[in-house]
Amino acid sequence: MAELAVNVDHVATLREARKVSYPDPVAAAIAAETAGAHGIVVHLRGDRRHIQERDVRILRKVVQSKLILEIASNNEMLGIALDIKPDVVTLVPESHEELTTEGGLNLIAHQNTIKGNAEELQNAGIKVCIFIDPDLDQIKVAHTIDADMIEIHTGAFCEAETDLEKQEEFTKIINAAKIARKLKIGVNAGHGICYNTIQKFKGLDEINEFSIGHSIVARSTLTGMYQAVKDMLELIKEL
Ligand code: PXP
C-alpha cells in the first residue's frame, strides 16, 4: 500500500485568517497520525502566510512518523531546514502572487543551485525530494543530482476539465512514475488530489507516497481530522 503524508498547512491558514492561536496545525498533525497518516507535511513559505517557524519546531518534537518540510531552494530556508532537521525536505518553487504552488521546479534551469542545496541537506542526514512536473527531462536531471525522491506534480491532472485532458495528464504521470522507478528514484505524488481523483491511481504501484492537504483539511471541518484521514487511507488501501 502507498503511504499517505498529510499536509496541515490549511489548518494554519484558518488560524492566520484571524491571527489567533487556533486551530493549531500541531494538534491536527497529532490527530492525523493517530488515524494512521504515515507522515506530516508543512510548507514554510517566505511570506509565512500559513505555517510559522514555531509550528515546524514543535512538529519536529512531536511528530512520531515522519516530518516532511516543503521549502523554496534559497539560503533562508536552507538555514532553517538545517537547524530543524526534518526527516525529508521537499524543494518546491515559490512565488508571492500564487494562491498555491503552481508548478514543479524547473530543475533544468536551476540545476547547479539545487544540486548544491540538496547536497548540504543530504550531508546533514536529511532526505531530499524534488517537486517536479511529470516531464522526463526534469526526472533525468533529478537523477543526475542524486535526489532521493521526486514528487510528481499532479495538479494538471486533478484540475483537467475534460476526460481527454484528464487522460493525457494522467498518462504523463504514469510515464514519469515508471521512468523514475527505473532510475531507482523514490516516487511521491501530490497537489490537488481529492477523494475522487485518488481513485484514478489504482494499479500505479510505482508511487510510494501521496502528499495530500487541502481536500483532507476541507473534509476535516465536517468530519474531524481523524475521520478525514481514515477515509483517505481506506481509498489508498484499495489502489
Ligand atoms: N505537494 C506539494 C509540493 C505542495 O506544494 C502541496 C500544496 O502545498 C501539496 C503537495 C498538497 O496539495 P493539496 O493541498 O492540493 O493537496
Side-chain angles (χ1 to χ4, degrees):
M1 175 185 161
E3 297 198 335
L4 170 63
V6 176
N7 179 318
V8 293
D9 289 353
H10 293 307
V11 177
T13 301
L14 196 53
R15 177 189 63 192
E16 296 305 313
R18 287 290 170 92
K19 300 281 176 209
V20 287
S21 59
Y22 61 87
D24 195 323
V26 175
I30 293 170
E33 277 195 330
T34 309
H38 304 93
I40 299 299
V41 190
V42 284
H43 183 175
L44 184 67
R45 298 185 69 107
D47 62 13
R48 306 293 195 274
R49 67 173 71 160
H50 40 50
I51 292 295
Q52 308 296 310
E53 223 178 291
R54 162 264 182 211
D55 302 327
V56 191
R57 290 190 185 280
I58 299 177
L59 284 167
R60 175 63 297 177
K61 293 202 175 99
V62 305
V63 165
Q64 305 282 313
S65 54
K66 177 170 61 175
L67 178 62
I68 302 152
L69 177 63
E70 291 179 6
I71 53 168
S73 186
N74 61 38
N75 286 342
E76 182 204 0
M77 289 301 159
L78 194 70
I80 293 171
L82 289 169
D83 187 35
I84 297 179
K85 292 199 171 52
D87 300 286
V88 178
V89 160
T90 300
L91 296 174
V92 300
E94 204 173 286
S95 101
H96 288 299
E97 293 81 37
E98 67 192 3
L99 273 182
T100 179
T101 316
E102 276 174 357
L105 258 180
N106 186 346
L107 267 185
I108 297 166
H110 304 291
Q111 179 168 351
N112 290 340
T113 334
I114 292 172
K115 182 177 169 58
N117 290 346
E119 265 174 16
E120 269 200 68
L121 291 162
Q122 287 168 325
N123 290 341
I126 301 167
K127 288 209 160 65
V128 173
C129 176
I130 301 185
F131 184 57
I132 47 177
D133 291 332
D135 176 302
L136 302 192
D137 292 332
Q138 298 284 351
I139 295 170
K140 283 183 202 149
V141 183
H143 177 61
T144 313
I145 69 172
D146 278 332
D148 298 287
M149 290 157 265
I150 55 163
E151 180 179 330
I152 300 174
H153 183 233
T154 53
F157 158 66
C158 293
E159 286 153 27
E161 285 178 1
T162 64
D163 287 348
L164 178 64
E165 208 188 321
K166 265 206 181 322
Q167 195 48 52
E168 282 172 2
E169 291 302 332
F170 198 69
T171 303
K172 291 183 198 164
I173 295 173
I174 296 174
N175 293 340
K178 290 193 186 296
I179 191 91
R181 175 61 75 86
K182 258 199 199 130
L183 293 170
K184 298 195 167 31
I185 311 175
V187 188
N188 301 341
H191 210 281
I193 299 176
C194 69
Y195 294 81
N196 291 325
T197 45
I198 188 71
Q199 298 176 50
K200 177 77 178 173
F201 289 83
K202 194 173 180 69
L204 187 52
D205 298 333
E206 282 80 6
I207 295 180
N208 306 118
E209 183 179 280
F210 291 98
S211 176
I212 307 179
H214 185 265
S215 64
I216 292 178
V217 172
R219 182 175 289 220
S220 79
T221 63
L222 304 176
T223 66
M225 180 57 82
Y226 182 88
Q227 191 59 45
V229 172
K230 280 268 180 218
D231 291 348
M232 187 59 83
L233 282 169
E234 274 307 309
L235 294 171
I236 292 176
K237 215 182 281 173
E238 285 165 19
L239 296 180

